[in-house]
Amino acid sequence: MPRKTLNRRSILKGATVGAAATAATFPSPAISQENFRWKMVTTWPKNFPGLGTGAQRVADSITEMSDGRLTVKLYAAGELVPAFEAFDAVREGKAEMSHDAAYYWVAKHKAFPFFCTVPGGLTTQEHNAWVYYGGGQEFWDQLCGDFGMRAFLAGGSGVQMGGWFQKEIHSADDIKGIKMRIPGFGAEVINRMGGTAVNLPGGEIMPALQSGVIDATEWVGPWNDLAFGFYKIAKYYYGPGFHEPNSALECLVNLDAYNALPKDLQAIVRHACKAENVGMVSEFTAANSASQTVLVDQHKVQIRHFPDDVVKTAFSIAGDVVAETAEFDGLAKKIYENWSHFRGEAIARGPYAEQGYMNNRAL
Ligand code: CA
């Protein structure tokens, strides 16, 4: 009797039967065919270099990676809601997500700036490390969860410049009496140094500088500052700043909308944000270097470091201002303590890591 052999047909047949039997017993999680349409509000003008274009990339990446199963339409500041109503728009479900900076929401909870930037805080690399692997994301989930939202890192500018001044700064005394556009906790530091901090949206800075309403301003860095033309009014450009050492940006997501997504689309949202978290900082880094060359070579800008006593005074006051956030409530205290411990270890590590290398490289 010929030996019965498994030929190709019987293997295929068996495979089909096996697959059918498996499917009957364990229904496979077939890819959901349900389509989702999300709105993304932002705190940025349409296609504003770096910030607005980065937000657009997040929206486009999600749409592309999901092959249109989750389409995200971006609304620039003022198109659906004003810039500073993005938080409430996502909380109330008017939009499913937002691209913005967490320190704008300090009036909602004093701990939000820790997830963007605070004076004397972490660098971009350290901040990413704290959020992804140092406990930051868990605290962030807790903080945002209280508002029915979730947040993911989604970009950043890197360390910002200290700003544009019409006169040279020789010592901390020279800050006294200066009227400077500077937002957030950095504003409080300037006030405690004897200056007067003014908060103005980006579009109002140049007229205020021209008319003398302010004597000095910070904005972002060479790339964005060159575009605004501050060099035409103020000759001295100081950096790095003490006030925004990383300026991480976030995507806020409505928790109900996120939970309604199948797991693969949730992963696409998370990973689109993570991709832009690298992409935007890289774009800022490349463009800032090229723009600094233009400012110095073509526009003859005087680029300077702040004198040591300005730096020491600013960091000392910044330490007090940031520590005061812990008094807000129990969660703020826990976040401050966790962040502060992480920062302390990062400072001890610095001289033997990037900071040490960069100092050596400059010798
Ligand atoms: Ca700034």
Side-chain angles (χ1 to χ4, degrees), residues 330-354:
L331 181 57
K333 184 168 187 289
K334 280 187 203 161
I335 291 171
Y336 170 72
E337 286 172 353
N338 178 278
W339 175 92
S340 201
H341 176 75
F342 189 95
R343 177 181 177 273
E345 289 191 335
I347 288 172
R349 170 84 188 120
Y352 309 100
E354 274 70 12

Side-chain angles (χ1 to χ4, degrees), residues 17-28:
V17 170
T22 306
T25 317
F26 306 105
S28 62

